[in-house]
Amino acid sequence: AGLEVSVVVEVPDAVPDPWYLYFTGTAVAALTVAPGVALDGSTAGQVDVTMSDPTEWFVQLSQGGLSVVEGQTYTVTFWAKASPPRHLSASLQQDHDPWVSFASGGFDVTGDWDLYSFTDVAAFSDTAAFHFNLADSVGTVWIDDVAVTTSR
């Protein structure tokens, strides 16, 4: 059995709860549901970064309310594409100070749908959130079929 992060698909005409967009610093971004571009289903999450910031986490597409268990292996998978092509990072981390990461990865995303993943073992148990960090480049990122699975 795995912990499934809610997927940003099949949510008509609304921002897909429980996902939320955070931006600060000089960064400006918007989250929408994009019909007709999804890899799977009819919609994908679309983040438009219109003003960048060198601090990558100053734009985050996030979902909180997760829990991690010490010693369990967490694998995060997602599909993404971008215009123009760009780098993004993603992390499963504590949802409070000191914001320790349980698992993370950096990815060079192209204009074509590709599957991305990263895996790590949780060093301790705690509450967590999942983040896509997007502030360092202007452009559009589409994300679909996000999943977090666990194993021992």
Side-chain angles (χ1 to χ4, degrees), residues 5 7 18 23 26 29 35 39 44 49 51-53 58 67 76 87 96 99 107-108 112 118-119 135-136 147-148 151:
V5 173
V7 177
F23 59 91
T26 61
L39 176 73
V49 179
M51 292 187 66
S52 64
D53 191 286
F58 277 15
S67 296
V76 176
H87 180 81
H96 57 83
W99 314 103
F107 309 94
D108 293 319
D112 297 317
F118 56 94
T119 300
D136 62 349
V148 178
S151 61

Side-chain angles (χ1 to χ4, degrees), residues 36-51:
V37 298
L39 176 73
D40 183 29
S42 62
T43 59
Q46 176 178 319
V47 178
D48 295 298
V49 179
T50 55
M51 292 187 66

Side-chain angles (χ1 to χ4, degrees), residues 4-11 16-19 40 43-45 63 77 143-148:
E4 186 82 11
V5 173
S6 297
V7 177
V8 184
V9 293
E10 303 304 327
V11 181
D17 184 48
W19 290 94
D40 183 29
T43 59
Q63 183 180 25
T77 59
I143 297 171
D144 205 356
D145 282 352
V146 179
V148 178

